[in-house]
């Protein structure tokens, strides 16, 4: 079964607005990663946050991690039409050496 | 640098046919992975190779075999294709098996009729 579950499944916003996506998981993790997938393409790594970190920034991206609630959020500020893509969270469990991906959030940014 | 390359890009098979998907990387990464992605779903791990000379099963290994040919190449073989194996297959690489980001190839779109 999937370790991570994203919420919402789909999100449609206007250019310039902020987009927030959430990820929940079930077991203890070493780290949580966010990836982006443009239609018909491979996944691209966005950001990695370790279990002992609470927040991380990269450009217009802000990721938070709450290990007590087993949840993470990805915030994209001042969104652009080019941000339209699917966003996936992936967790690396403490018991394993591989990533488990969620089902993704489809983000549409309307110009 | 090409990064992670996959061949072929598209393939149509009949039920029962066999084929091998190829993945090559020029990133000098130690770990390589094969995933499948079905419509509206995330990626599911088929097999992985944490380092050259080792391979391990992932979440959905049935119907597949893999070969880590050398550090650069990791192939996925379907011995007897079934319609349930219709999917998009992605190869990925990472510096190591733990706490490293993964780099993905462009994918192979496979249809089994």
């Amino acid at each position: 079964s999937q370790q991570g579950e994203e919420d919402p499944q789909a999100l449609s916003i206007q250019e310039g607005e902020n987009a927030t996506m959430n990820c929940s998981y079930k077991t203890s993790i070493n780290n949580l990663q966010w990836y982006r997938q443009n239609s018909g393409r491979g996944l691209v790594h966005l950001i990695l946050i370790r279990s002992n970190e609470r927040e991380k920034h990269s450009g217009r991206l802000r990721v938070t991690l709450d290990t007590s609630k087993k949840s993470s959020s990805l915030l994209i500020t001042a969104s652009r039409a080019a941000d339209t893509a699917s966003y996936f969270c992936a967790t690396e469990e403490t018991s394993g050496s591989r990533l488990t991906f969620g089902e993704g959030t489809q983000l549409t940014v309307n110009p | 640098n090409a990064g992670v390359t996959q061949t072929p890009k598209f393939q149509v098979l009949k039920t029962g046919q066999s084929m091998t998907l190829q993945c090559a990387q020029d990133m000098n990464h130690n770990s390589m992975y094969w995933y499948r992605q079905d419509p509206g779903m995330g990626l599911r791990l088929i097999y992985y190779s944490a380092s050259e000379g080792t391979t391990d099963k992932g979440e959905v290994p049935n119907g597949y075999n893999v070969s880590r040919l050398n550090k650069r190449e990791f192939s996925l073989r379907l011995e007897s294709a079934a319609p349930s194996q219709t999917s998009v297959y992605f190869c990925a690489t990472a510096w190591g098996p733990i706490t490293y980001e993964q780099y993905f190839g462009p994918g192979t779109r496979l249809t089994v009729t």
Side-chain angles (χ1 to χ4, degrees):
Chain A
S1 62
Q2 297 288 355
Q3 159 79 316
E5 294 184 5
E6 284 94 339
D7 171 59
Q9 288 187 326
L11 179 61
S12 181
I13 59 174
Q14 296 300 122
E15 217 167 18
E17 294 180 338
N18 295 342
T20 300
M21 289 158 268
N22 303 296
C23 171
S24 60
Y25 57 91
K26 299 186 178 76
T27 62
S28 296
I29 61 172
N30 287 328
N31 66 76
L32 185 145
Q33 304 182 31
W34 285 92
Y35 287 80
R36 165 180 148 159
Q37 183 181 34
N38 289 86
S39 181
R41 308 290 290 272
L43 278 70
V44 175
H45 181 265
L46 294 176
I47 200 162
L48 181 154
I49 186 165
R50 300 174 194 274
S51 60
N52 61 352
E53 297 176 311
R54 292 296 166 258
E55 187 171 312
K56 223 166 172 184
H57 296 255
S58 176
R60 293 183 296 113
L61 306 181
R62 173 177 168 255
V63 168
T64 61
L65 179 64
D66 187 334
T67 53
S68 66
K69 295 181 180 178
K70 292 187 169 58
S71 67
S72 174
S73 67
L74 170 67
L75 168 68
I76 304 174
T77 60
S79 63
R80 306 165 181 167
D83 294 328
T84 294
S86 292
Y87 292 82
F88 296 89
C89 70
T91 52
E92 180 186 291
E93 298 176 31
T94 54
S95 60
S97 59
R98 56 201 198 191
L99 293 179
T100 303
F101 286 81
E103 296 183 2
T105 293
Q106 171 62 51
L107 172 66
T108 302
V109 182
N110 302 298
Chain B
N1 291 344
V4 183
T5 57
Q6 291 183 236
T7 54
K9 287 187 169 54
F10 300 94
Q11 184 71 50
V12 178
L13 291 178
K14 294 188 188 305
T15 297
Q17 288 184 321
S18 63
M19 77 162 295
T20 300
L21 282 66
Q22 306 284 357
C23 175
Q25 52 108 353
D26 62 3
M27 308 178 79
N28 200 32
H29 284 172
N30 294 302
S31 300
M32 299 185 74
Y33 306 82
W34 276 107
Y35 294 92
R36 61 177 286 173
Q37 183 177 35
D38 299 302
M41 296 184 67
L43 276 69
R44 291 185 291 169
L45 183 64
I46 305 171
Y47 271 92
Y48 67 103
S49 171
S51 61
E52 186 180 357
T54 69
T55 59
D56 287 286
K57 294 178 180 179
E59 184 184 352
V60 288
N62 290 347
Y64 305 95
N65 284 301
V66 289
S67 294
R68 183 74 183 266
L69 303 170
N70 47 55
K71 189 172 185 179
R72 291 186 62 249
E73 298 171 290
F74 189 37
S75 63
L76 178 71
R77 183 160 178 84
L78 287 70
E79 290 291 352
S80 179
S84 61
Q85 294 177 305
T86 293
S87 189
V88 181
Y89 291 84
F90 289 99
C91 175
T93 72
W95 182 252
I98 298 175
T99 317
Y100 290 101
E101 63 193 75
Q102 294 188 8
Y103 293 79
F104 283 79
T108 294
R109 189 172 296 274
L110 175 67
T111 301
V112 183
T113 60

